[in-house]
Amino acid sequence: MEAEDEKLVVLARATRVRTGAAEGAALRDLDGRTYAAATVDLPSLKVSALGVCIAMAVASGARGAEAAVVLNEGAFLESELVPLREFAGAGVPVHHGGPNGTIGDSHST
């Protein structure tokens, strides 16, 4: 994993710890800006941490993504790749790891 992707791990982990959410995620756009988010789990609104990162990037005018990280206690859901692929196209790496920030597997859009 690249050094810039390690920064995403730190951001995702800090966001998850700070909020106490089920998962934390971070995304770096094509301009090098980063977005970090936690799961939104309200009775009327449920959004994954990666979904929130994608929404933040889109709302900020980003044109795509270079990489993303998702940290949680469960398995990575392949369905998480669909909105990222729609936003950023094919070939974007998504690193998945546990709450402590240890990356266990990587996926690609």
Side-chain angles (χ1 to χ4, degrees):
M1 204 163 68
E2 296 180 21
E4 290 297 311
D5 294 349
E6 291 287 346
K7 292 177 186 177
L8 295 177
V9 172
V10 171
L11 289 170
R13 185 169 183 246
T15 300
R16 184 179 184 276
V17 169
R18 184 179 68 251
T19 62
E23 66 182 8
L27 179 143
R28 185 177 58 257
D29 72 13
L30 297 177
D31 293 323
R33 295 177 294 188
T34 56
Y35 309 87
T39 307
V40 175
D41 191 6
L42 302 171
S44 62
L45 178 65
K46 297 191 184 311
V47 185
S48 72
L50 183 57
V52 175
C53 285
I54 294 166
M56 291 168 49
V58 169
S60 295
R63 297 169 290 128
E66 291 181 350
V69 167
V70 176
L71 303 178
N72 62 23
E73 293 195 30
F76 181 78
L77 301 175
E78 291 290 324
S79 60
E80 290 281 302
L81 296 175
V82 175
L84 184 56
R85 187 178 300 113
E86 288 176 4
F87 166 59
V92 178
V94 180
H95 307 291
H96 172 252
N100 65 355
T102 301
I103 299 301
D105 53 310
S106 293
H107 307 267
S108 183
T109 60

